Amino acid sequence: MKSGWISVATAALVATVAGVGGTLPVILAAAQAMGATPAQASSWVAGLGIATAASSLYLSLRYRMPITAAWSTSGAALIASTQGVPGLHAAVGAFVLAGALIVLTAVIRPLARLIQRIPASIASAMLAGILLHLVMAMAEQVPVQPLLVVPLIVLFLVARVRLPALASLVVLIAGGLLAWALGLVKPIPPLGLSHLELILPVWDFGTLIGLGVPLYLVTMASQNLPGFAVLRSAGYDPPTHASLVVTGAASVATAFLGAHTSNLAAISAALCTGPDAHPDPAQRWKTGVFYAFFWGVMALFGASLVGLFGALPPALLMTIAGTALLGATAGSLGQALAVEKERLAAAGTLAVTLSGITLFGVGSAFWGLIFGLLVLGLERLLKR
């Protein structure tokens, strides 16, 4: 019994550390892109921690399954790459909309069916276009800080073969040490508790459509659906309706703290649902409880995390974010181009999304999706 508690606690701790350490730079890039102050960025991170901890604790206790939540990494990448948003208050309006749409997906079945009818190739191409922005930003740092960036990219490629779940964490730790050795680390601020700040939304139509709708779509397609798949592959029958309602409602509530969407975990969920967490599947729900505790601690000291990462050089943060998203980018590209008859539409979606264009105040991710659907629809119409 004692060893069982140790294994579930260890699995939850590894999942939390790997999830936070590997992708927090993506969150900070999103906050910076929206013009968030350091205090607002701290509130953003703390809000995500609160939503993740509360959702994981409730769902795991209620359904006796290792149901874990996480922040939307792909959503953060979308935010970081979206141009033309007039400020954080307008972004918060989009965050509220995305969370509300997740709840509505559980409540209104026709909406769920409509989302499911979007071809996987088009959705994957939109996600790939979003992620490529941050991967390209990593490559752009090579001539800026070659002694820092190149060794870390090589380290990541080696670590992902040996320790795939912890590769990003390895890069983070090694990168911090290397940056310190090169004299690139600023003074680290003292340990401090998180600051929560109420950020009222501004309902800007262009931001709601150009950021809110794509944020909802990428969260559903790249986070929630894989999260359900991980649970099913581990032998569980996840409560899809309740999971979407809980994570969607948590996203709406914490949006007023500046936080973007929360959702079911996928990669970290795999660490909590396997036999390494506990040999008895009926006992693995306890990982969700420990996972919620560790995320609660993260929320409490989120300001310190923001300050710590703020002391690191931008080239390091971009490298960590780029390497963390490299696998997801490859997977999205592969799925986008897998179906030959949908390949042209997917390529168009990728190109428009990657272009970063803004039309009528609406960002490129939305237009990429629309363009891909139009190409696909036109091809099918003319071939009848």
Side-chain angles (χ1 to χ4, degrees), residues 130 134 151 313 364 366:
I130 292 166
L134 292 180
S364 62
F366 176 80

Side-chain angles (χ1 to χ4, degrees), residues 7-322:
S7 65
V8 295
T10 302
L13 178 60
V14 171
T16 303
V17 173
V20 174
T23 59
L24 183 57
V26 185
I27 307 298
L28 298 181
Q32 184 179 21
M34 294 299 102
T37 65
Q40 290 170 336
S42 170
S43 182
W44 187 324
V45 172
L48 290 171
I50 292 169
T52 299
S55 299
S56 301
L57 181 63
Y58 173 78
L59 291 171
S60 295
L61 286 174
R62 172 66 178 81
Y63 296 99
R64 287 299 193 267
M65 299 180 193
I67 305 175
T68 54
W71 55 42
S72 177
T73 303
S74 56
L78 166 66
I79 298 164
S81 63
T82 299
Q83 301 177 6
V85 178
L88 182 59
H89 291 273
V92 167
F95 300 166
V96 172
L97 174 63
L101 288 174
I102 292 173
V103 175
L104 289 176
T105 302
V107 176
I108 305 175
R109 296 190 182 277
L111 179 59
R113 287 195 293 269
L114 181 63
I115 298 303
Q116 291 173 350
R117 291 185 64 183
I118 296 176
S121 59
I122 303 299
S124 297
M126 181 181 70
L127 177 59
I130 292 166
L131 299 179
L132 274 170
H133 277 284
L134 292 180
V135 177
M136 290 166 59
M138 173 187 67
E140 292 168 355
Q141 295 304 309
V142 171
V144 178
Q145 291 286 353
L147 296 179
L148 176 64
V149 177
V150 174
L152 293 180
I153 294 176
V154 174
L155 175 63
F156 171 79
L157 296 175
V158 174
R160 69 180 293 274
V161 176
R162 297 292 185 180
L163 301 167
L166 301 177
S168 295
L169 184 60
V170 170
V171 172
L172 169 62
I173 296 173
L177 293 174
L178 181 57
W180 177 79
L182 295 173
L184 300 175
V185 178
K186 301 176 184 176
I188 298 175
L191 184 69
L193 299 178
S194 293
H195 167 81
L196 298 180
E197 184 171 326
L198 178 63
I199 305 173
L200 298 178
V202 170
W203 309 108
D204 178 73
F205 179 77
T207 304
L208 291 174
I209 301 301
L211 178 59
V213 173
L215 178 58
Y216 158 69
L217 292 174
V218 299
T219 299
M220 287 297 299
S222 67
Q223 304 267 185
N224 281 328
L225 296 182
F228 289 130
V230 169
L231 285 166
R232 291 191 179 101
S233 67
Y236 299 98
D237 183 18
T240 55
H241 178 276
S243 298
L244 292 177
V245 169
V246 169
T247 57
S251 297
V252 172
T254 54
F256 294 92
L257 300 177
H260 72 292
T261 50
S262 301
N263 42 249
L264 289 182
I267 297 176
S268 56
L271 297 172
C272 296
T273 57
D276 289 342
H278 199 287
D280 184 0
Q283 298 297 318
R284 293 174 195 163
W285 64 269
K286 297 172 184 175
T287 60
V289 177
F290 280 101
Y291 182 85
F293 169 75
F294 292 130
W295 270 90
V297 173
M298 190 283 296
L300 186 63
F301 294 100
S304 297
L305 285 174
V306 173
L308 173 62
F309 277 80
L312 300 176
L316 174 58
L317 298 180
M318 292 181 186
T319 303
I320 296 170

